[in-house]
Amino acid sequence: QVQLVESGGGSVQAGGSLRLSCARSGYTYRMGWFRQAPGKPREEVATIYDDGITTYADTAKGRFTISQARAKNTLYLQMDSLKPEDTAMYYCAAKTEVVGPWNSWGQGTQVTVSS
């Protein structure tokens, strides 16, 4: 497991932007952003492999960009054109092995989008 610490959440009006950051310690094979709104299951938002390949949920495509700064051991999620339905607790997660579950999680950062 690795330690993950998120930052960058907050409140914004619809159409606005936020950038989330996740500082990590140690090697990760894959990292990702997940979110969970009250009363809803947790959903995967975007992931990035160690080689830079990215995946996005349909709800994030074209609006969110996941990236990582290797030298700073930091993961980012740039969120543009935010919608009220993007309101949720956002979590950074990591896999340290090719096969296996997401075995490291951050504490979460709240994103609130008002209409």
Side-chain angles (χ1 to χ4, degrees), residues 4 17 19 22 28 43 45 52 59 63 68 72 85-86 91 95 113:
L4 302 173
S17 299
R19 188 176 80 158
C22 174
T28 59
E43 62 175 344
V45 177
T59 54
R63 299 189 300 125
Q68 57 185 354
K72 296 182 179 180
E85 51 264 44
D86 293 319
Y91 297 91
K95 287 189 177 185
V113 185

Side-chain angles (χ1 to χ4, degrees), residues 7-24:
S7 61
S11 297
V12 66
Q13 289 190 329
S17 299
L18 283 173
R19 188 176 80 158
L20 306 182
S21 299
C22 174
R24 65 174 173 90

Side-chain angles (χ1 to χ4, degrees), residues 2-7 20-28 31 33 48 50 67-76 92-94:
V2 297
Q3 298 296 316
L4 302 173
V5 180
E6 302 103 330
S7 61
L20 306 182
S21 299
C22 174
R24 65 174 173 90
S25 62
Y27 168 79
T28 59
M31 295 194 72
W33 289 98
I48 186 167
D50 187 55
S67 62
Q68 57 185 354
R70 294 180 181 274
K72 296 182 179 180
N73 288 334
T74 304
L75 177 74
Y76 300 101
C92 173

Side-chain angles (χ1 to χ4, degrees), residues 31-67:
M31 295 194 72
W33 289 98
F34 293 74
R35 68 186 183 186
Q36 187 167 22
K40 295 186 177 181
R42 184 174 60 198
E43 62 175 344
E44 181 179 300
V45 177
T47 75
I48 186 167
Y49 287 84
D50 187 55
D51 60 4
I53 294 175
T54 59
T55 69
Y56 292 94
D58 288 343
T59 54
K61 287 179 181 177
R63 299 189 300 125
F64 295 1
T65 303
I66 189 171
S67 62

Side-chain angles (χ1 to χ4, degrees), residues 72-83:
K72 296 182 179 180
N73 288 334
T74 304
L75 177 74
Y76 300 101
L77 183 68
Q78 177 67 40
M79 302 186 294
D80 299 317
S81 302
L82 282 162
K83 304 175 182 179

